[in-house]
Amino acid sequence: MSLTKEKTLELLWQRMAERGDFPSLQRSVTGIVSAMQSENTSTADLASSVLSDFALTQKVIRLANSAMYAPFGCNVTTVSRAIMILGVDTIGHLALSLKLLEGFGEVAARRDDMARELARATLAGAFARDITAKNGIRDGEEAVVCTLLHHVARLLVTYCFPNEWVEIQEIAAKRGISDSDACEQVLGITFPELAEAAARKWGLPESIATSMRPIDLEGDAPLSHADWLCAVANMSNEMVTELTRGADPERLAELAERYADRLALDISEVVSVGEEMARDTSHQEFIAISTGASNTRQPPAGKPLDSARRLADGLSEVRAATGETDAVGLLNLTLEAILQSLGFVNCAAFVRSPASKVFEMRFGIGREVQPLLGLTFPEAFEPDVFHLALTNGRAILIDNAREPRIVPRIPLWHRQHFSNVKSFFLLPVRQRNQTVALLYGDWGGALCAGGIGAKEMEFLHYMGEEISSKLESVAQQNTASGANAADSLARRPSGTAGR
């Protein structure tokens, strides 16, 4: 059957609706755009919306504390303050980029071809963010959205037209033409046209929709905003191609030279960002996936793309075991479920010891934590991220423990015993308005570039609640003897001190 542009788009939207793998993507995108465009959106409303998404909360606060906003930020710790500094549009674009990646994540976990395309999109988005941030460009997050949308067209074709996608690849390779030109021959539409159609269907701003169109970099006339966005996206996409070819310095310099003047960028900085990405372990697995050299379908920190599904399965196991095992057994089962679901290298539980007034590592999985069982840190408040999690009773993800702004907030004992760890996660377990245990997990020497999404955070929260419920049950049984519920988790002698 010969397809026209109109017929292809009709089939595309129909198949997306029928297959139901993106039930929330369009709804999320539409909601974010509405909030960005509404004159009635208050800081409180936007803060509430951001706080409902764990991954977005972490990224918003981190961006507000970045060097680009340093003169305005200065240790921003609340979403409300971050919104005042960043503005509604920046928050909206940051949310859009997250939702676009999340929307395709679960499908990519089941299909190698989509995993490769999603890996390329993630790399391109990372380069767009890094190069704009390095040059202090405030429209960086908008450029990231545009870059990702350029890849959305490929992802949609891969997903909704799998047979045609194979044909497109074969034609492009055989005739030596671009994938986009081959797509036009097979489906009657180019990738930029499809990306623009998706942007308009989802109600994205006009500047983003028109930035999908090809541009001519020749000439000296100033670029329009839409053309500037398109140029950044094109450069980012070409950079991914170079990264998958080995990041040859001469080829990176040629790429930088084509775009540097028109985008007012320094050639050496473009090359530097590309080389840094090639060396960074947080990008190397994405590069391997995008070239087919890796079939793990996992992002660099080892976190599976289907981590939400794994956490759901793990939660079911934890709930099934709640009535069949004691508190220690349930805690160990929960640690194992979290480790397998999120790809942690190390996972441990620090349990409050009321008599000693310390939190002690009583249980752990992983080569680095086993020798450290018995490690303690004081219960009394200190200005570090562990005590922040204990006090607030909220989960914390540290994306990069080596960032200069973060290092002073990492306790000395952690820097000593986990010196290679870059990203780690903390989940408090609360009992009667008090933290009685702190679950810890890290990805070893790799950065967790993908973060932890809202759905993942929801399952983790429920796992913590199961432990809380078990401890409450133990507390009620021990009321007569006056024993503390947490004692059921803390009966080994103390070991090494954390400080």
Side-chain angles (χ1 to χ4, degrees), residues 21 41 82 161 201 213 233 249 261 278 315 359 374 392 410 432:
D21 281 310
T41 300
F161 300 95
K201 183 172 180 63
R213 300 170 184 173
D261 285 345
L315 177 60
F359 276 82
N392 293 345
I410 307 299
R432 300 182 181 181

CSV table of all heavy atoms in Angstrom, one decimal, residues 21 41 82 161 201 213 233 249 261 278 315 359 374 392 410 432:
chain,number,residue,atom,x,y,z
A,21,ASP,N,0.5,2.0,24.8
A,21,ASP,CA,1.7,2.0,25.5
A,21,ASP,C,2.1,3.4,26.0
A,21,ASP,O,3.0,3.6,26.7
A,21,ASP,CB,2.9,1.5,24.6
A,21,ASP,CG,2.8,0.0,24.6
A,21,ASP,OD1,2.8,-0.7,25.7
A,21,ASP,OD2,2.9,-0.6,23.5
A,41,THR,N,-1.4,30.4,36.4
A,41,THR,CA,-0.6,29.4,37.1
A,41,THR,C,0.3,30.2,38.2
A,41,THR,O,1.1,31.0,37.8
A,41,THR,CB,0.3,28.7,36.1
A,41,THR,OG1,-0.5,28.0,35.2
A,41,THR,CG2,1.2,27.7,36.9
A,82,ALA,N,13.3,27.8,43.7
A,82,ALA,CA,13.8,27.4,42.4
A,82,ALA,C,13.0,28.0,41.3
A,82,ALA,O,13.5,28.4,40.3
A,82,ALA,CB,14.0,25.9,42.3
A,161,PHE,N,5.4,1.6,13.1
A,161,PHE,CA,5.6,1.0,11.8
A,161,PHE,C,6.9,0.2,11.8
A,161,PHE,O,7.9,0.5,11.1
A,161,PHE,CB,5.8,2.1,10.7
A,161,PHE,CG,4.6,3.0,10.6
A,161,PHE,CD1,4.5,4.2,11.3
A,161,PHE,CD2,3.5,2.7,9.8
A,161,PHE,CE1,3.4,5.1,11.2
A,161,PHE,CE2,2.4,3.5,9.7
A,161,PHE,CZ,2.3,4.7,10.4
A,201,LYS,N,0.3,18.4,17.4
A,201,LYS,CA,-0.8,17.5,18.0
A,201,LYS,C,-0.8,17.6,19.5
A,201,LYS,O,-1.8,17.6,20.2
A,201,LYS,CB,-0.7,16.1,17.6
A,201,LYS,CG,-1.8,15.2,18.1
A,201,LYS,CD,-1.7,13.8,17.5
A,201,LYS,CE,-2.9,12.9,18.0
A,201,LYS,NZ,-4.2,13.4,17.6
A,213,ARG,N,11.7,22.2,11.4
A,213,ARG,CA,11.9,22.3,9.9
A,213,ARG,C,13.4,22.5,9.6
A,213,ARG,O,14.1,23.1,10.4
A,213,ARG,CB,11.2,23.5,9.4
A,213,ARG,CG,9.6,23.4,9.6
A,213,ARG,CD,9.0,24.8,9.3
A,213,ARG,NE,7.5,24.7,9.6
A,213,ARG,CZ,6.7,25.8,9.5
A,213,ARG,NH1,7.2,26.9,9.1
A,213,ARG,NH2,5.4,25.6,9.8
A,233,ALA,N,19.7,21.6,17.9
A,233,ALA,CA,19.2,20.2,17.8
A,233,ALA,C,20.0,19.4,16.7
A,233,ALA,O,20.4,18.3,17.0
A,233,ALA,CB,17.7,20.1,17.5
A,249,PRO,N,38.8,13.4,17.3
A,249,PRO,CA,39.0,14.8,17.6
A,249,PRO,C,38.9,15.7,16.3
A,249,PRO,O,38.3,16.8,16.3
A,249,PRO,CB,40.4,15.0,18.2
A,249,PRO,CG,40.6,13.6,18.8
A,249,PRO,CD,40.0,12.6,17.9
A,261,ASP,N,30.2,29.4,14.4
A,261,ASP,CA,29.9,30.8,14.1
A,261,ASP,C,28.5,31.2,14.2
A,261,ASP,O,28.1,32.2,14.8
A,261,ASP,CB,30.5,31.1,12.7
A,261,ASP,CG,32.0,31.2,12.6
A,261,ASP,OD1,32.6,31.3,13.7
A,261,ASP,OD2,32.6,31.1,11.6
A,278,ALA,N,32.3,11.3,25.7
A,278,ALA,CA,32.9,10.0,25.3
A,278,ALA,C,33.6,9.3,26.4
A,278,ALA,O,33.6,8.1,26.5
A,278,ALA,CB,33.8,10.2,24.1
A,315,LEU,N,7.3,-5.0,44.7
A,315,LEU,CA,6.4,-4.6,45.7
A,315,LEU,C,5.3,-5.7,45.9
A,315,LEU,O,5.0,-6.0,47.1
A,315,LEU,CB,5.7,-3.3,45.2
A,315,LEU,CG,4.5,-2.8,46.1
A,315,LEU,CD1,5.1,-2.5,47.5
A,315,LEU,CD2,3.9,-1.6,45.5
A,359,PHE,N,22.6,5.5,64.1
A,359,PHE,CA,22.0,4.7,63.0
A,359,PHE,C,23.1,3.7,62.6
A,359,PHE,O,24.2,4.1,62.3
A,359,PHE,CB,21.5,5.5,61.9
A,359,PHE,CG,20.2,6.1,62.1
A,359,PHE,CD1,20.0,7.2,62.8
A,359,PHE,CD2,19.0,5.4,61.5
A,359,PHE,CE1,18.7,7.7,63.0
A,359,PHE,CE2,17.8,5.9,61.7
A,359,PHE,CZ,17.6,7.1,62.4
A,374,GLY,N,27.8,-2.9,60.6
A,374,GLY,CA,28.1,-2.4,61.9
A,374,GLY,C,28.6,-1.0,61.9
A,374,GLY,O,28.7,-0.3,62.9
A,392,ASN,N,13.5,15.2,57.4
A,392,ASN,CA,12.4,15.5,56.5
A,392,ASN,C,11.5,14.3,56.3
A,392,ASN,O,10.3,14.4,55.9
A,392,ASN,CB,12.8,16.1,55.2
A,392,ASN,CG,13.5,17.4,55.4
A,392,ASN,OD1,13.3,18.1,56.4
A,392,ASN,ND2,14.2,17.9,54.3
A,410,ILE,N,28.1,15.8,52.0
A,410,ILE,CA,28.3,14.3,52.1
A,410,ILE,C,29.2,14.0,53.4
A,410,ILE,O,30.3,14.6,53.5
A,410,ILE,CB,29.0,13.8,50.9
A,410,ILE,CG1,28.3,14.2,49.6
A,410,ILE,CG2,29.1,12.3,51.0
A,410,ILE,CD1,26.9,13.7,49.5
A,432,ARG,N,5.6,6.2,63.5
A,432,ARG,CA,5.1,7.1,64.5
A,432,ARG,C,5.8,8.5,64.4
A,432,ARG,O,6.3,9.0,65.4
A,432,ARG,CB,5.1,6.5,65.9
A,432,ARG,CG,4.3,5.2,66.0
A,432,ARG,CD,4.3,4.6,67.4
A,432,ARG,NE,3.6,3.4,67.4
A,432,ARG,CZ,3.4,2.7,68.5
A,432,ARG,NH1,3.9,3.1,69.7
A,432,ARG,NH2,2.7,1.6,68.5
